[in-house]
Amino acid sequence: MTEAEDRKPQSDEARGTYDSEITSEFAIPKGLAVPKGGTEAETTSEFAVPDGLDVAHPAAGESEGSAFSTPRTYSARSAPPAFTPPAGIPRVSLTKDVPWQDRMRTMLRMPVAERPALEVAQKAEEGAPAVPRVLDLTLRIGELLLAGGEGAEDVEAAMFAVCRSYGLDRCEPNVTFTLLSISYQPSLVEDPVTASRTVRRRGTDYTRLAAVFQLVDDLSDPEAHISLEEAYGRLAEIRRNRHPYPTWVLTSASGLLAGAASVLVGGDLLVFVAAAIGAMLGDRLAWLCAGRGLPEFYQFTVAAMPPAAMGIALTLAHADVKASAVITGGLFALLPGRALVAGVQDGLTGFYITAAARLLEVMYFFVGIVIGVLVMLYVGVQLGAHLNPDAALGITERPLLQIGASMLLSLTFAVLLQQERSTVLAVTLNGGVAWSVYGAMHYTGGLSPVASTAVAAGLVGLFGQLLSRYRFASALPYTTAAIGPLLPGSSTYFGLLSIAQNQVDEGLVSLSKAAALAMAIAIGVNLGSEISRMFLRIGSAGKRRAAKRTRGF
């Protein structure tokens, strides 16, 4: 064969015979039966249905795999537990004998789809209710409650109660430290209506707070028919009401409160008088600064100077008194222990933004107090005064005198909070009981101050909740002043003072004790209230669901 013939292309038959004789590792061995060929469309994958498994094919034209179609394995007779049970969702009792706080709090803690619908709109105006005006009334009521020191959860419950009383059941209130907002959506196909209001001024007046609670209670009464105009009129009358106590009574109450606090930390009669005079001078200076428009930070700074000046003056006069007790007692009315406890309580109920804002406000007030005290201490050091911060920590056990001082402290605290005269006696007795329990557990029983404070605060919360349910009012007037003797005023002051004097270790220890005491008070009061709701049948709403905010993931 010539070389040209070798270069000629082979025929198709010869080439096929040559390729079929080629063997590779992927070739099918001889003798292995393989089903005849399919095409590429019949190739098997991991998503293919195995042979022998019969699956019902959908009818022609039926959409398969839709997110809205019923699963093939679903049967109405054996419905999975994830769906609504045949008996329906448990109905929430909305009877009149249940306090509206519990009813509204229960509904707020339920998902919107599970809330029971209104049977009859009791307060609806003729025709459709005026939604914008109802929302405006709700925001104005919430503003008064939040400015008066009410907790965020109770403010939301009150706002929800007002909207629901006028037939607006699909509403969502939202409360932060300075902003109130509410949204109402008539139906799933209609646009929502949203309104908001900013809280710019805060003032503690528990008489006004009680009047607002009474208004909300009357609106929630199914037998009462209060129109929007009547509700606006009552709200305007509440705003116009004057404080129950004149200015000179408030100044005297601040002095007596400081004197009682100085007795609790080991002071005598001279310390009582000195602390009272310093506190009254500080109160008058704070009023003068407030009239000039200075912020509260500077008001606290100025008000802290006279008590410190009184302690320095007694030290320079070589009087045999505890100057630290004078300063601590004089500053007790200024230390924002109530705001600290309120911030911790908001954190316990899940309102973390409001809790953080309250705690930041407390920190600024503390800084202002420390600056005022340190200015006077620097002046005293230049004049040759030697103050011992640990002198007031040696508290002698004087049970009868301390119980009397604690009751006087609660009484004057209630006056400063502008409480109703009818509630002053009850809160005074509640404060005496709180200190008696604390003294019996701490001084006599030898328990830690944190555990003793928690138990005493728990009794305060329990008794306060009982009294508030008896009168269908807020629990704040019965608990805030009663926990006055338990507030960590001295520990906080000495901790900040030690840090300012470069004694960081002692200061951190004292501040940690103050934080633990504040947490114990807040948890005790909150737990006492929750126990009264769960186990007492007086005005109880039965079992209510807890706030399911997270499940750990």
Side-chain angles (χ1 to χ4, degrees), residues 12 21 32 42 66 82 134 142 168 188 197 200 236 246 275 292 297 304 331 359 384 395 421 450 475 492 503 523:
D12 295 340
E21 294 177 356
L32 182 61
E42 297 178 356
S66 173
V134 172
L168 309 183
L188 293 177
R197 193 173 183 86
R200 302 190 181 277
R292 299 296 180 179
F297 176 84
L331 298 180
L359 295 178
I395 301 176
R421 293 181 174 87
V450 177
T492 306
Q503 300 175 1
I523 294 177

Side-chain angles (χ1 to χ4, degrees), residues 109-334:
R109 293 182 178 183
M110 297 175 61
V112 179
E114 296 184 7
R115 293 176 185 171
L118 281 172
E119 296 180 1
V120 179
Q122 298 289 343
K123 314 287 188 312
E125 304 289 338
E126 294 185 5
V131 175
R133 297 199 65 199
V134 172
L135 297 184
D136 178 71
L137 175 67
T138 303
L139 290 174
R140 292 178 183 272
I141 290 177
E143 178 190 8
L144 286 180
L145 293 177
L146 187 62
E150 191 64 65
E153 187 179 27
D154 291 330
V155 175
E156 283 194 358
M159 294 172 64
F160 188 77
V162 175
C163 285
R164 192 174 176 84
S165 64
Y166 284 102
L168 309 183
D169 56 336
R170 288 180 293 274
C171 61
E172 285 294 335
N174 187 20
V175 176
T176 58
F177 186 59
T178 58
L179 182 65
L180 299 169
S181 62
I182 189 168
S183 177
Y184 169 71
Q185 188 171 12
S187 64
L188 293 177
V189 297
E190 296 183 61
D191 295 333
V193 181
T194 304
S196 62
R197 193 173 183 86
T198 303
V199 180
R200 302 190 181 277
R201 292 193 59 185
R202 297 178 181 273
T204 305
D205 189 346
Y206 281 3
T207 300
R208 180 179 296 175
L209 187 69
V212 176
F213 260 75
Q214 184 62 45
L215 174 60
V216 177
D217 183 63
D218 293 341
L219 291 174
S220 304
D221 189 358
E223 297 180 0
H225 300 276
I226 302 177
S227 63
L228 279 174
E229 297 300 330
E230 294 175 350
Y232 268 109
R234 290 184 56 178
L235 189 62
E237 184 180 357
I238 292 173
R239 286 181 175 273
R240 287 194 301 265
N241 283 344
R242 299 178 60 88
H243 299 305
Y245 305 103
T247 304
W248 66 270
V249 173
L250 298 180
T251 303
S252 303
S254 64
L256 293 177
L257 188 151
S262 65
V263 173
L264 286 180
V265 296
D268 53 9
L269 181 59
L270 183 58
V271 172
F272 180 93
V273 175
I277 294 176
M280 287 189 290
L281 290 176
D283 180 76
R284 287 293 87 199
L285 287 178
W287 276 98
L288 181 62
C289 294
R292 299 296 180 179
L294 287 178
E296 285 186 310
F297 176 84
Y298 301 105
Q299 297 177 26
F300 274 80
T301 301
V302 173
M305 291 182 178
M310 292 297 299
I312 293 171
L314 291 176
T315 303
L316 292 175
H318 302 286
D320 188 15
V321 296
K322 297 179 179 179
S324 297
V326 175
I327 299 175
T328 303
L331 298 180
F332 198 87
L334 299 176

